[in-house]
Amino acid sequence: MKTKLSVAACACAMAVALTSSVHAKTPGSKLLATGGASTIEGAGGGGIVPWATLSSYADTGEWGATVNLSEVSVDDFRLSVKGISASWNNRIEVSYARQTFDLSTIGGELEQNIVGAKVRVVGDLVYGDLPQISVGAQHKINQSFALPSAVGALDDSDTDWYVSAAKAWLDGPFHRTWVANVTARNTRANQLGLLGFGGDDEADSRWVAEASVAMFINRYWAVGAEYRQKPDNLTFAEEQDWRDIFVAYFPSKRVSLVGAYTDLGSIAGLDNQSGWYLSVQAAF
Amino acid sequence: MKTLLFSLLLLTAPLAAGESVYQQLGEKEGISAIVEEMLYRVGGDERIVHHFDGVDIVHVHEQITLQVCDVVGGPCEYKGETMQVSHEGMGVTHADFNALVEHLIAAMEKHEVPVAAQNQLLAALAPMYEDIVQE
């Protein structure tokens, strides 16, 4: 409850700060919502899948930044994420996220830091025939390796590599704008890395697939779904794929909100972990 | 399969029937007002207003109105220069192009153009990106 309140307070403070700086420089020239939201690993994207889009609204020759807070609350766990990102020229994005994973039922807490970078290689989300294609890396450093080590994890840090392709259809089905993203990720992270990297069952990294689709109801509201395949490296508990359905609100280029219903499957032997996801992002 | 296609047609029919995009934009008069609003906003936008230095804005307004009317299937024929010729050497960037699109969207929102019609117009104009932007 305390965390919930502090997130709400922080979101309000952000909103106030944003309103008072409305007359400052606009956040950038990219079209509304094309900076996407912030993922739980800090990169720009949906909620759980990094997209080929770059965070913030920094277009040709522009700089941009975001600050974001996310909370995932499922039956027996709670994940809090604080993140920041900077991007330049609609070309490169760097991000940092700090994850705190509260083992509400089991007791205890796991922490992880993630430093990310993403580069747009070719194409454009909105214009031209090619999709926007980006490559990225997420270097993850687990800060609480005692528990992961005890359940069979091999390393306390590692790097995920991914390639993403995203495309928007301005006039898609129902004459609505649609966005789709697919991501292939090379990873050996157990539960994002919160349970370390590699395991007694499978030591090496593998490719997993992730995908998102969203439909914009109008300029400001979108609904969509995401799917994320996961590795399964530890014998002590099965790790399952993640999915969510979300509603995103982009009232302005300054701020975005995402709410989702999420199904994280089985985590650390506790089955059917489902619940809500809430994320707020401010862009500068 | 035929039945399936037919029911799909029936489902989408209410969206396609009724007013055309041209009508939803308010016909020639509405399009002219939307383009005027867009250009008015461009005039206050320091990112791109320099591209219009020394330009006969009344002529630009006329030409864009004709062109929009034409691409949405209205009773107009745009006979002006190709987009490639009229933007040659202007150095329009991705950011500049987006700025104009943003003003067009804002103008359509102000004139309460339905989202479906907005999207159809934007999709009809988007292919011009490759002729206009030089990066």
Side-chain angles (χ1 to χ4, degrees):
Chain A
M1 196 60 204
K2 207 178 126 200
T3 337
K4 215 184 250 176
L5 280 177
S6 67
V7 167
C10 206
C12 286
M14 257 188 195
V16 170
L18 294 174
T19 325
S20 58
S21 64
V22 148
H23 298 292
K25 188 180 92 58
T26 55
S29 298
K30 275 159 62 179
L31 297 174
L32 183 64
T34 57
S38 298
T39 64
I40 50 172
E41 290 163 309
I48 57 174
V49 178
W51 290 14
T53 54
L54 305 190
S55 67
S56 95
Y57 290 97
D59 208 322
T60 324
E62 297 170 342
W63 281 94
T66 70
V67 178
N68 51 80
L69 291 171
S70 303
E71 289 278 325
V72 188
S73 181
V74 292
D75 298 79
D76 298 296
F77 304 97
R78 185 179 190 98
L79 174 67
S80 305
V81 186
K82 297 184 183 81
I84 51 172
S85 78
S87 42
W88 175 71
N89 200 29
N90 193 26
R91 177 62 71 184
I92 185 161
E93 168 196 300
V94 290
S95 59
Y96 169 79
R98 182 166 183 85
Q99 296 180 330
T100 307
F101 193 65
D102 192 359
L103 308 165
S104 319
T105 307
I106 305 170
E109 204 174 76
L110 299 171
E111 285 190 332
Q112 176 172 240
N113 294 334
I114 303 173
V115 180
K118 191 199 295 177
V119 177
R120 180 174 65 85
V121 179
V122 71
D124 187 85
L125 176 70
V126 180
Y127 308 114
D129 297 326
L130 277 178
Q132 178 160 330
I133 297 171
S134 298
V135 295
Q138 294 177 342
H139 183 64
K140 303 174 168 184
I141 307 147
N142 192 300
Q143 304 287 305
S144 42
F145 192 56
L147 175 65
S149 172
V151 297
L154 302 180
D155 291 301
D156 65 351
S157 72
D158 200 36
T159 306
D160 284 1
W161 294 91
Y162 63 91
V163 53
S164 297
K167 194 68 199 162
W169 289 269
L170 290 169
D171 184 26
F174 313 111
H175 293 303
R176 288 299 180 272
T177 297
W178 289 68
V179 179
N181 180 87
V182 287
T183 295
R185 182 197 299 253
N186 190 256
T187 182
R188 59 202 281 267
N190 311 318
Q191 299 294 4
L192 308 177
L194 288 160
L195 286 178
F197 304 87
D200 49 354
D201 192 24
E202 177 60 61
D204 298 328
S205 63
R206 55 169 284 203
W207 287 95
V208 288
E210 305 173 9
S212 316
V213 62
M215 183 189 82
F216 282 84
I217 297 164
N218 59 24
R219 300 275 151 233
Y220 312 101
W221 288 91
V223 293
E226 293 197 297
Y227 191 88
R228 175 165 173 172
Q229 210 179 14
K230 311 269 296 308
D232 185 16
N233 303 329
L234 300 169
T235 42
F236 95 102
E238 187 195 358
E239 180 166 347
Q240 294 180 328
D241 297 350
W242 284 5
R243 70 199 87 197
D244 70 64
I245 47 172
F246 65 84
V247 177
Y249 179 45
F250 300 88
S252 78
K253 285 189 182 179
R254 293 255 172 225
V255 65
S256 70
L257 291 164
V258 180
Y261 173 77
T262 184
D263 174 3
L264 307 185
S266 181
I267 298 180
L270 296 171
D271 292 340
N272 303 318
Q273 296 297 316
S274 61
W276 54 265
Y277 164 89
L278 187 66
S279 179
V280 56
Q281 184 207 75
F284 305 93
Chain B
M1 191 64 198
K2 258 185 186 164
T3 331
L4 182 68
L5 278 175
F6 186 67
S7 22
L8 271 176
L9 270 177
L10 277 181
L11 272 174
T12 52
L15 289 168
E19 293 194 312
S20 68
V21 178
Y22 172 68
Q23 285 168 324
Q24 290 180 74
L25 289 168
E27 305 194 343
K28 266 185 207 163
E29 205 179 319
I31 293 170
S32 171
I34 289 166
V35 174
E36 188 180 328
E37 174 72 28
M38 176 184 84
L39 289 173
Y40 173 75
R41 286 167 184 268
V42 167
D45 186 341
E46 58 187 25
R47 292 173 298 178
I48 53 171
V49 69
H50 63 275
H51 287 309
F52 295 82
D53 281 351
V55 164
D56 178 356
I57 205 72
V58 175
H59 178 70
V60 169
H61 175 258
E62 233 171 58
Q63 293 301 304
I64 298 179
T65 302
L66 267 179
Q67 208 175 7
V68 169
C69 171
D70 194 349
V71 299
V72 297
C76 311
E77 200 184 340
Y78 174 74
K79 293 178 188 156
E81 292 168 325
T82 65
M83 288 299 95
Q84 206 158 6
V85 168
S86 58
H87 294 84
E88 183 87 60
M90 280 175 64
V92 176
T93 66
H94 185 270
D96 297 339
F97 192 86
N98 273 341
L100 190 75
V101 172
E102 203 169 278
H103 292 309
L104 173 59
I105 291 171
M108 290 193 290
E109 288 281 285
K110 190 175 174 186
H111 283 81
E112 295 175 351
V113 175
V115 177
Q118 288 187 23
N119 289 340
Q120 288 172 81
L121 175 58
L122 293 172
L125 296 176
M128 294 178 183
Y129 172 87
E130 282 168 327
D131 290 332
I132 293 173
V133 174
Q134 294 128 15
E135 278 192 321

